[in-house]
Amino acid sequence: MADTTSRTGSRYATPELVDFVNRVHAAHDEALQLAFDAPVRHDMPAIQVAPSEGKLLGMLAALCGARRAVEVGTLAGYSAIHLARAMPEDGVLHCLELEPRHAEVARASLQAAGMLERTRVHVGPALESLESLASEAPFDLVFLDADKEGYPRYGRWALEHLRPGGMLLADNVYFFGQLMADTPAAAAMRRFHEETAADFQSVCIPTPDGLLMAIKPLG
Ligand code: SAH
Ligand code: DHB
Ligand code: MG
């Protein structure tokens, strides 16, 4: 059998197979397709989560009853639509994005999805936006998908500002396959794993680049 590991993260997940399961389980409506295609259309990096990962984010948000949530790294709003749709009408998803151009595209994606009312797009370095959001804690869910060097600090913010039972999610925790590299950035990502495992109930979901899921203890 052809080895598809490098492209899909699993030797079994052939492109044809992935197309099939995406079509069956994670089909896009018009707004999701628009947001998914937006990075290429607007000359932005196409580094959004995969369709099945977006669906998973939404299902996890629904399972933990998220009404107040924070996304760190929004790009064109694709993952934000999945999260926002899983929340009640009076829920609020704060979308943190460094690049004004990305934030503008994200707002358009969220508007097309009818999700503008339950989202707030904050432009600037996530650390600054998180600081100003502290007064609105506690949150039910925090999803990390921005600069990977920031994860240790974002994780500590999440521990402090999630409610007991609240959920922390983080994309790319295999660090593009470089998690075990002998570099400061890889060491920081390993520290993020270790601190999260110590402070939360955690599991690393084996998506192609690893999706960390962690629950803040109740007691
Ligand atoms: N979650 C998105 C993809 C995010 S890509 C999705 O799946 O649809 C990562 C984004 O993080 C980029 O748009 C990048 O501009 C943003 N980013 C990078 N560093 C950041 C920082 N310090 N603060 C906020 N956003 C940042
Ligand atoms: C990159 C960032 C991501 O969040 C991702 O999922 C894939 C790639 C990047 O910065 O290259
Ligand atoms: Mg990512």
Side-chain angles (χ1 to χ4, degrees):
M1 192 200 294
D3 191 340
T4 59
T5 309
S6 60
R7 265 179 303 169
T8 61
S10 154
R11 91 181 84 214
Y12 301 130
T14 64
E16 189 191 15
L17 181 158
V18 170
D19 282 350
F20 173 80
V21 296
N22 282 351
R23 203 160 59 240
V24 172
H25 299 288
H28 286 161
D29 61 14
E30 208 177 309
L32 275 176
Q33 192 62 44
L34 197 79
F36 193 82
D37 294 338
V40 167
R41 250 194 350 267
H42 294 273
D43 205 23
M44 292 154 55
I47 53 175
Q48 64 275 47
V49 297
S52 56
E53 293 162 0
K55 183 88 181 272
L56 176 61
L57 292 175
M59 289 179 70
L60 291 172
L63 276 169
C64 80
R67 310 175 64 87
R68 304 150 64 77
V70 179
E71 172 179 82
V72 181
T74 293
L75 190 70
Y78 177 70
S79 56
I81 293 174
H82 280 288
L83 289 169
R85 282 181 169 175
M87 295 168 57
E89 214 174 305
D90 65 348
V92 180
L93 171 66
H94 294 277
C95 300
L96 279 43
E97 176 50 54
L98 176 65
E99 296 290 339
R101 226 165 41 85
H102 297 185
E104 194 184 317
V105 175
R107 282 198 186 98
S109 304
L110 288 161
Q111 178 158 38
M115 290 294 116
L116 210 47
E117 242 139 67
R118 69 183 79 162
T119 51
R120 312 273 180 275
V121 181
H122 305 258
V123 185
L127 268 185
E128 291 177 16
S129 300
L130 288 173
E131 207 166 299
S132 68
L133 280 173
S135 58
E136 298 195 26
F139 292 96
D140 304 305
L141 181 145
V142 173
F143 170 50
L144 307 183
D145 197 17
D147 57 306
K148 311 311 165 193
E149 318 78 65
Y151 278 27
R153 270 173 301 182
Y154 304 149
R156 271 173 240 133
W157 187 92
L159 178 65
E160 242 177 89
H161 297 95
L162 280 168
R163 67 163 161 84
M167 186 179 288
L168 170 64
L169 297 164
D171 190 31
N172 309 109
V173 294
Y174 293 171
F175 198 39
F176 318 115
Q178 297 303 303
L179 183 61
M180 306 318 295
D182 187 16
T183 63
M189 185 61 90
R190 291 196 295 273
R191 193 164 64 250
F192 170 70
H193 277 270
E194 288 161 355
E195 288 183 4
T196 306
D199 296 333
F200 295 76
Q201 186 68 20
S202 62
V203 64
C204 190
I205 303 172
T207 58
D209 197 28
L211 179 69
L212 186 123
M213 170 183 161
I215 303 288
K216 179 168 163 174
L218 287 174

